[in-house]
Amino acid sequence: MRYPISIQTFATIRKGNYVYVDKTDLVYRLAQEHVCFLSRPRRFGKSLLISTLDSYFSGRRELFRGLKMEALEDKWDVYPVFRIDFAKGRFDLAGELEKVLEEYVSSWETIYGKSDIYTTLSSRFQYVLEQAAARTGHQAVILIDEYDKPLLDVLEEDLENVNRSILKDFYGTFKAADVSLRFVLLTGVTKFSQITVFSGFNQPNYISMDSRYDAICGITEDELYSVFGEVISEMASKLNYTVETMKAELKKQYDGYHFSNALLDVYNPFSIINAFNKMDIDNYWYKSGTPTYLVKLLEGHHVNMQKLTSRPYESQYFVDYRADADNPLAMLYQSGYLTIKGYDRHYREYTLDYPNVEVRKGFVALMAEANKCCS
């Protein structure tokens, strides 16, 4: 079995015969929406989802042969796709966000044309979208990966307000160009509702806690056992476990994420494929990197996790991002250090806790790093 370690491109996975957990039925369902926002912790497959949607809307039928999508789609129309990836930018540098957006818009203008009438980034982008729809006969598709990185890079710095204003203006294009849009998806870790980067256009459909999309990123237990059953047996043999003990160890270490009140168990995909690739249990997720913004915000602070997890919350207390070290609940939930562990349907309240052993150890490491300056 070939594992797509550090591969986030759907076409590369399919052409390279890497293992792929088939999510294309959920991708098809998502593609019937209009403007959506999905938040998930880092290393959870958001970039692969964006790439899969890119391939779908680009009409690359050959990549979906043998997958669930093949039985669901029969038209395979080709849409003009506009994809923005903020992952590689250094947005703590003045002018970097404008530079990145300028490069994207200029590249699209070489394809769909430019008008001297429009001079701002947002108006030029709107013109490109309108031209793309007119020339191709199909509405445009916009896919934005890590939409929040230009803000997370500069939290509590002077550039925060600057970047927020730029993004608010740019995303406002979606409202002005709505008639030219077939589908829009923004992904990221955080939901910046308080910072109102979305106030310039109609609020996107927040699907992060929609139970229909619980499994769109990550691996469910049914998927784990059906796709990786043979590998689990091999791993159990190597580590001198029974198969059932091996399953229990994987569950304890990597399972436990819940993204809605349906409480569907979801395993961390990054850790699982690394564990199978190396045939060993380890803390792959937090060893892959600590979010800089969390370290900065928690510097010198002690987080009482027992206190945070001992009481129920309505969803707005942990869904809407708050850059507040004295009240870090939302930061810890959205970055993946906490997850939903229970739901009271009568009071509509949630309880939160660590998803699994790996994350609990990762949080200890996070707090140690955040408090180095005070030792």
Side-chain angles (χ1 to χ4, degrees):
M1 212 175 248
R2 298 187 74 192
Y3 299 100
I5 306 295
S6 300
I7 299 175
Q8 301 172 334
T9 304
F10 180 68
T12 301
I13 291 173
R14 296 294 290 160
K15 290 181 178 179
N17 199 31
Y18 292 93
V19 63
Y20 174 70
V21 178
D22 189 356
K23 304 284 186 179
T24 57
D25 55 334
L26 296 178
V27 172
Y28 180 80
R29 174 186 290 170
L30 177 58
Q32 310 315 307
E33 306 276 0
H34 186 46
V35 179
C36 299
F37 168 64
L38 174 72
S39 65
R40 286 292 184 267
R42 63 185 180 84
R43 308 289 188 187
F44 239 86
K46 299 185 296 294
S47 296
L48 177 57
L49 172 61
I50 289 284
S51 179
T52 307
L53 284 160
D54 188 348
S55 294
Y56 168 68
F57 280 114
S58 297
R60 303 189 65 180
R61 183 175 189 171
E62 73 281 1
L63 298 177
F64 294 86
R65 290 202 175 98
L67 300 180
K68 296 173 185 176
M69 178 76 81
E70 191 173 37
L72 296 170
E73 183 59 82
D74 55 8
K75 292 183 179 179
W76 294 99
D77 291 330
V78 178
Y79 296 86
V81 177
F82 298 85
R83 187 170 169 181
I84 299 174
D85 183 1
F86 286 124
K88 300 172 184 176
R90 279 284 311 276
F91 301 108
D92 55 341
L93 303 175
E96 181 70 9
L97 179 54
E98 298 99 313
K99 178 184 174 184
V100 168
L101 292 175
E102 174 64 38
E103 289 173 352
Y104 275 116
V105 173
S106 293
S107 67
W108 297 327
E109 285 174 334
T110 63
I111 301 171
Y112 298 108
K114 181 178 181 178
S115 172
D116 293 335
I117 298 174
Y118 303 107
T119 58
T120 66
L121 279 169
S122 57
S123 63
R124 288 164 58 198
F125 186 31
Q126 179 182 342
Y127 179 76
V128 165
L129 294 173
E130 292 169 350
Q131 289 300 299
R135 294 187 183 193
T136 65
H138 290 288
Q139 294 167 299
V141 170
I142 302 174
L143 305 172
I144 300 180
D145 201 6
E146 296 202 33
Y147 94 99
D148 48 354
K149 190 171 185 295
L151 298 176
L152 292 176
D153 280 358
V154 293
L155 279 180
E156 298 189 328
E157 297 179 11
D158 292 340
L159 274 177
E160 181 183 341
N161 287 333
V162 175
N163 286 0
R164 184 194 317 164
S165 178
I166 293 168
L167 288 178
K168 180 179 176 181
D169 187 53
F170 190 75
Y171 293 150
T173 305
F174 304 157
K175 182 175 183 179
D178 185 69
V179 70
S180 302
L181 298 179
R182 162 65 178 81
F183 178 79
V184 178
L185 176 67
L186 303 99
T187 71
V189 173
T190 52
K191 182 190 176 192
F192 277 105
S193 59
Q194 281 194 329
I195 300 179
T196 64
V197 292
F198 296 145
S199 62
F201 72 102
N202 295 331
Q203 290 291 313
N205 181 15
Y206 179 68
I207 64 170
S208 306
M209 294 184 70
D210 186 330
S211 61
R212 296 175 301 166
Y213 299 110
D214 277 348
I216 200 165
C217 293
I219 298 172
T220 67
E221 195 156 89
D222 286 345
E223 291 168 339
L224 183 71
Y225 296 161
S226 63
V227 176
F228 300 102
E230 185 176 332
V231 182
I232 293 172
S233 297
E234 292 175 9
M235 192 173 181
S237 178
K238 178 180 182 295
L239 298 180
N240 199 27
Y241 288 144
T242 66
V243 171
E244 289 308 308
T245 301
M246 188 74 258
K247 288 179 178 179
E249 287 296 310
L250 291 170
K251 186 177 186 66
K252 180 174 68 175
Q253 186 76 7
Y254 305 126
D255 189 21
Y257 283 95
H258 305 111
F259 298 111
S260 78
N261 56 27
L263 298 177
L264 176 71
D265 281 340
V266 180
Y267 287 70
N268 183 316
F270 179 83
S271 294
I272 279 290
I273 63 171
N274 273 280
F276 290 151
N277 186 54
K278 293 181 171 61
M279 283 287 163
D280 197 15
I281 299 285
D282 203 349
N283 301 312
Y284 299 104
W285 181 71
Y286 84 73
K287 285 184 176 180
S288 69
T290 303
T292 304
Y293 67 92
L294 261 182
V295 175
K296 287 166 60 179
L297 285 168
L298 294 177
E299 277 183 0
H301 287 77
H302 171 70
V303 177
N304 188 332
M305 192 64 89
Q306 184 175 1
K307 182 179 179 181
L308 285 178
T309 59
S310 64
R311 52 152 294 186
Y313 300 91
E314 294 180 5
S315 62
Q316 68 263 27
Y317 290 102
F318 58 89
V319 167
D320 294 343
Y321 189 82
R322 296 169 178 84
D324 183 356
D326 293 321
N327 184 21
L329 184 76
M331 290 191 299
L332 294 173
Y333 172 78
Q334 296 203 12
S335 57
Y337 287 93
L338 289 174
T339 195
I340 296 167
K341 283 298 180 178
Y343 180 64
D344 186 318
R345 294 191 178 276
H346 180 72
Y347 292 102
R348 297 180 182 176
E349 292 179 331
Y350 297 80
T351 52
L352 308 177
D353 209 336
Y354 297 113
N356 50 50
V357 170
E358 178 184 35
V359 174
R360 178 170 53 79
K361 291 181 177 179
F363 178 74
V364 173
L366 169 68
M367 291 309 300
E369 185 172 351
N371 287 284
K372 279 180 182 177
C373 65
C374 304
S375 59

